[in-house]
Amino acid sequence: MKPTVHDIARFAGVSLATVDRVLNGRPGVRGVTRDKVEQAIAQLGYVRDLAAANLAKSRTYNLCFILPANDNSFMIRLREEVEEAIARSAVERARIEIVEVPAFDPGALVSAMDEVADRKPDGVALVAIDAPEVRAAADRLRAEGIAVATLVSDVGASSRDHFCGIDNSAAGRTAANLMGRFLSKVDGRVAILAGSLLVRDHRERLEGFLSVLAEDFPRVAILPVIEALDDPAMVEKTVRDALRRHPDLSGIYSLGAGNRGLIRVLKELDPARRPVVIAHELTRSTREALHSDLIDAVLNQDPGHEVRSAVRVLKAKADGLPVLTAQERIRIDIFLKDNLP
Amino acid sequence: MKPTVHDIARFAGVSLATVDRVLNGRPGVRGVTRDKVEQAIAQLGYVRDLAAANLAKSRTYNLCFILPANDNSFMIRLREEVEEAIARSAVERARIEIVEVPAFDPGALVSAMDEVADRKPDGVALVAIDAPEVRAAADRLRAEGIAVATLVSDVGASSRDHFCGIDNSAAGRTAANLMGRFLSKVDGRVAILAGSLLVRDHRERLEGFLSVLAEDFPRVAILPVIEALDDPAMVEKTVRDALRRHPDLSGIYSLGAGNRGLIRVLKELDPARRPVVIAHELTRSTREALHSDLIDAVLNQDPGHEVRSAVRVLKAKADGLPVLTAQERIRIDIFLKDNLP
DNA sequence: AGATTTCTGATTTACGTACCTCAAATTTTG
DNA sequence: CAAAATTTGAGGTACGTAAATCAGAAATCT
């Protein structure tokens, strides 16, 4: 049978109280005694029964998610996933709160972070903007002992405890690889559509994309990057413009959101002359576009995984526990029309 | 604060014992009373505290994994993952046992299943062979109240409780899509390499691959399927043969294991004339081959996810609980050299 | 109506850990 | 060496649920 604290106490020849002190790092145990207990733990292979421990502690974690008030499908999904986490929170011993801030606005994000800090939560997850003032605000949170996780988009590694998102550089490189191969022998022009280069995820995707394209597919020409703030209407307009100016456009890499606008334009094109299109995030619209051959590939990050991972990570960090890196890695899903879930 | 059974009892005006009877489906409660209690549960939004329940029950699940004694990297990884699950089993209230059987041998699998049944475990996971006698053995297990999950390769849906693996038909279709596009304008000949068409996962991949190729890329010619029993040496030999007979071979889809043999042959080829190669399962050798451009894409299923999912599913089924389908879906990973983890 | 069966209530113990108190034993310090 | 400080032991309660017993109440049957 699994050994319990009682077994440890008996084996080590000490009392239950002492075992408890050792296990929970409480003071008042001599080094010799502590060693005895730790040896007993090692020898009997004791592992703390988490169910019992949680029950006894009845600890609850106060967490806060700061999300941009963006109305693209991805952010809506992300918010829904946080809300589902809230629905589960009773079971998970967590109290989760959502704070909305204007998108792409470092100042608003910083003041939200400072306000949140006043409530002294155990952890904060935020969709970061990679700016010095945001990093400073994150540092302030951490200085107060609040765990900080970035969600979807990162800041410099030193200012947060963990990043819950994909390797965006790899995503950009993958997109370039697919683009280069899908274009095949056709030397073409490729347009790149971003939300904003203020956010690190978009920047990293762009860099990855450009580097692989330059190295492995040097004959592909690249148009200047279009920033459309993840807004469908703006995306639509800019894509229409680009197609007018470059009728020979043979590829589009949409590395941000707002793909509804892009798809509206694609629908109007002659199927024979449709460019190769690679986009990010599987939503209702990109899924339909994949299915009807308007989009060729979708790179996806699963917001559900990201949110659940963030909750786990923040809890662990709040308790000073290590994070299981392998488990928390968020994967890049590649969807073609044939492997849609 | 979260309501407890005591709150339910007070609210419904019944005793704790009655609430317990309702919650755990024990007999001896009148319909009217049961309704009262259920209403109280609904109104107070009671959710059973799993930590406490598990603690009180101190139930342990006896599970058994029947694995083929195959020595390809994938099966080795799978076994390692089961061993890790065993290492975790103390924490997870499970006792997990591994039984090895010869690969591709329905008779051996069936006798292993029957032997396992004698020990009356709570659940059995097996890498299935899709044969009538295996289905019958699975039916026998389930008739004895033992939960059955198929791992990696499935049998007919009616004979098991759950399949822990990828949608192999979608994997085959995806491979065909990539193959068709990577071949681009070149009308080529494609060779297909399978382990054995006795196992359903290989059959399904094949069917998916053929159907998409026929429909979307009709100009691609397909050579007769080669069955190499997932054995590296046999794979090497058959691929060498195929290349000799068809010097114009422009694509290879390796839908089974034993890719070490394939890679050995690929290394010897003139890089300029190397065929497009799509393989399954990210192992040390396929990873290196991806990296050095010998393989173009690898479709992968994560054995870790599959094993963990199997454990969760078997536990749930053993308790007669429903399975959260969305959570247990195993994804098809697509790896190019640019998104290797 | 009386006997029988079926419900229901009250109470208790157990699960394994956390956390608290108080007293006793031991070590350290002056 | 005595006083002070530290370490340890003993014991208890709590967490929320499961599961059991036993007695009493209500419903059903004859």
Side-chain angles (χ1 to χ4, degrees), chain B residues 191 193 226 228 231-247 249 252 254 258-271 273-275 277 285 289 292-295:
Chain B
L193 219 59
I226 301 169
D231 176 58
M234 194 160 167
V235 169
E236 179 170 0
K237 186 182 158 303
T238 51
V239 171
R240 223 180 277 284
D241 276 6
L243 277 166
R244 195 172 309 128
R245 273 210 302 279
H246 308 277
L249 197 68
I252 298 177
S254 167
N259 287 314
R260 264 172 297 167
L262 168 62
I263 292 166
R264 276 199 291 270
V265 181
L266 292 174
K267 271 189 185 145
E268 300 165 6
L269 295 181
D270 171 12
R273 304 207 28 206
R274 194 182 58 69
V277 179
S285 51
S292 53
D293 287 320
L294 292 175
I295 292 185

Side-chain angles (χ1 to χ4, degrees), chain A residues 14-15 18 21 29-30 33 55-56:
Chain A
V14 302
S15 79
T18 305
R21 289 178 188 118
V29 185
R30 253 186 317 165
T33 320
L55 181 58

